[in-house]
Structures are given as C-alpha cells and as structure tokens.
Amino acid sequence: MKSEAILDVAVVQLCSQDDLSKNLQIVRARILEAGRRGARLVVLPENLAYMGPEDGKRAVAESLDDPRAPIATALASAAREANVFVIGGGIPELSDDPLRPFNTCAVFNPQGELIARYRKIHLFDVDLPDGTRLLESASNSAGSEPVVVCVDGFTIGLSICYDLRFPELYRRLVDMGAEILVMPAAFTLPTGKDHWHVLVRARAIESQCYALAPGQWGKHPKGRTTYGKSLIVDPWGEVIAQCSEGEGICYGTIQRSYLQRIRNSLPSLKHRKLTMP
C-alpha cells in the first residue's frame, strides 16, 4: 500500500437507553450524517443498541448471522445506504449460554456484509469508590481471540472498553499488523474522568497506532452515568479530535505516511525485548 494512503474516519458519541428501536434510529441517523460529511469509516460505541437492565440485554441478544436480527440488519442497512464501513462497538450476540451473551464488536463493509467480529475478552467486574457495583461476567460470556480487520487497506485492531486496561492485548494486535486501534466504550463517570484519556493516549503511543475511541455519554437507566469525551488520537499520542458534552460526532483523517514517519523516527516497536510467545 502506498505511503500516502489515507482513511477519513468518524467517531460517534451516543447516549443509548433501553429502547432498542429508538436507539437504532439514532444510530442510523448518525451513520448517514457521517457518510454525508465524507467519512469512509464510522465507529460506534459499546452498548450502541441497548443500555439498560441485564435481563433486557439478554432479551435483545441476537445471532449476527440471522438475516432477521434487528441490530445487525440495521447496521448493515445503514452501511449500505451511507456507503461506509461501520464498526458497531458492542452489541449483545447470542452465545451457547442463553443467560450470558457475548459483547461483540461487529464490522460491516459498504455492501452491508459482516466482515469481522470481536468478542470482548476482558469483562468488567468491579466495586467502584462511588458504590457502583458492576459484574459483567454474570451476564456476559467472554471471548478469547484477538481480531484485526482490513478496511481500505488499513489494518484495524478491535477491542471493547475494559480491554483498554490490558496492554498485552494491543501488543498482540500490533503483532497482527494493526495500524489503527478501535476502543469503543461505555466508561463510567468515575473511571472516565481519571483514566480515559490517559489510557487511550498510552495505548496509541506504545503501539504507535491511531486510536479511535467512541464512548457513551450521559445518564442511562438504573442510575448509570457515562463519561463520553469520545476522541481520535494519533500515533504520537496527540488528541486530534474530541466530542464535547452530549451526543455528537468527531472526525479525523488517518495518514499512513505519518504513522510510518513516527515508527521510523522512534522505532520502539523494533526495540522490543520481551515479545509475546
């Protein structure tokens, strides 16, 4: 691929609720808006289609291969209509355990075809200082395999939210050829305000990759509040675009020539001594 290759990207910030139909209408509108403004790749946050009680999440879990699946069908249709690649940052996918679906990042091409899926490996089981208790493993099955996907000649490594705290995953993605890291999230307000920017920028710097980090923002059912501040970071760790408060979209351009310049001028990836087995 020529060094001057570029990819125009859009990172979408949502405030998803527990109304599947309404959420999907908003998602479709955002994808079409981003396409009209020139994006070739549109990245959506975790829990894009449903953010509410866990029994409701189980009820909307679907097989991504089912042509009648509402979430996958909506994303595929919007990708075709907008003529863009769409990364659905985290949707409930049926697993062998009907009570514990996968949290899956699904990638659709401009023809509406499902071209990759990544099932979240690291599940968020925590007791936060503000009293919030989250036990993702009680209602979700964990994936096990890192995944990369090719979009217009760029190799993209997939991850979801809590994965961001595990740098070994991103080392593996870089070893698999990643030039762009996708980090869709629904970061809580307490963790987001202290850790979100630090972690996204750190992963971009150490991996010498662009980072696309769409997030949920605002208040959701059951008193949950998310941080937002969706952003795009370059391989030097600079924030080149960020969403403000509320729902919205931020835009940026991926430049392979810049990525190569960073990797050549500071070849830390070549200097690694402790590599993955």
Side-chain angles (χ1 to χ4, degrees):
M1 180 60 62
K2 296 180 180 178
S3 62
E4 63 268 29
I6 64 171
L7 179 67
D8 292 318
V9 300
V11 164
V12 178
Q13 182 162 290
L14 298 173
C15 183
S16 299
Q17 302 295 312
D18 55 4
D19 186 329
L20 177 67
S21 178
K22 185 175 181 180
N23 290 335
L24 292 179
Q25 290 176 16
I26 294 170
V27 165
R28 177 181 177 277
R30 291 300 188 184
I31 293 171
L32 297 184
E33 177 186 351
R36 287 193 299 269
R37 294 190 59 178
R40 178 63 172 167
L41 169 65
V42 182
V43 191
L44 301 157
E46 185 182 29
N47 299 333
L48 65 99
Y50 180 88
M51 194 156 179
E54 295 303 329
D55 56 348
K57 182 184 291 185
R58 287 192 290 269
V60 302
E62 63 186 40
S63 167
L64 300 185
D65 301 308
D66 184 347
R68 300 165 299 175
I71 303 171
T73 298
L75 295 179
S77 176
R80 283 194 302 270
E81 187 172 352
N83 191 35
V84 297
F85 289 87
V86 170
I87 297 181
I91 61 179
E93 180 193 9
L94 289 172
S95 72
D96 291 336
D97 183 345
L99 298 180
R100 299 169 63 242
F102 293 114
N103 186 349
T104 298
C105 182
V107 186
F108 298 86
N109 67 16
Q111 292 74 47
E113 299 165 333
L114 178 67
I115 58 172
R117 77 184 84 192
Y118 162 73
R119 294 162 174 162
K120 187 177 183 181
I121 293 174
H122 302 97
L123 301 182
F124 193 48
D125 292 351
V126 297
D127 291 289
L128 297 174
D130 68 350
T132 300
R133 187 168 196 266
L134 297 168
L135 193 63
E136 191 175 14
S137 64
S139 55
N140 290 267
S141 295
S144 59
E145 296 297 327
V147 175
V148 298
V149 62
C150 183
V151 170
D152 277 0
F154 286 88
T155 302
I156 299 179
L158 305 178
S159 64
I160 301 175
C161 201
Y162 191 46
D163 285 330
L164 192 54
R165 296 181 182 275
F166 300 88
E168 61 272 20
L169 171 61
Y170 298 93
R171 283 300 195 212
R172 179 70 62 86
L173 293 172
V174 168
D175 288 343
M176 296 168 70
E179 302 161 290
I180 303 168
L181 302 172
V182 169
M183 306 157 172
F187 253 59
T188 66
L189 184 60
T191 57
K193 64 184 179 63
D194 292 332
H195 297 164
W196 175 243
H197 283 80
V198 175
L199 288 169
V200 173
R201 293 183 66 200
R203 298 294 86 86
I205 293 167
E206 70 196 10
S207 303
Q208 298 189 315
C209 289
Y210 283 90
L212 309 181
Q216 292 281 349
W217 169 91
K219 295 183 178 180
H220 313 275
K222 297 191 69 175
R224 188 170 178 183
T225 304
T226 50
Y227 181 65
K229 302 295 190 295
S230 304
L231 68 160
I232 301 171
V233 178
D234 74 17
W236 193 250
E238 295 286 348
V239 177
I240 58 177
Q242 178 177 297
C243 290
S244 185
E245 298 295 299
E247 297 183 89
I249 308 175
C250 62
Y251 298 87
T253 299
I254 307 300
Q255 297 178 300
R256 178 171 284 116
S257 60
Y258 180 70
L259 182 144
Q260 290 178 334
R261 186 160 69 249
I262 293 299
R263 290 185 173 186
N264 290 336
S265 64
L266 202 167
S268 59
L269 295 178
K270 295 180 180 179
H271 294 161
R272 291 166 58 194
K273 301 298 184 181
L274 303 176
T275 57
M276 299 293 293

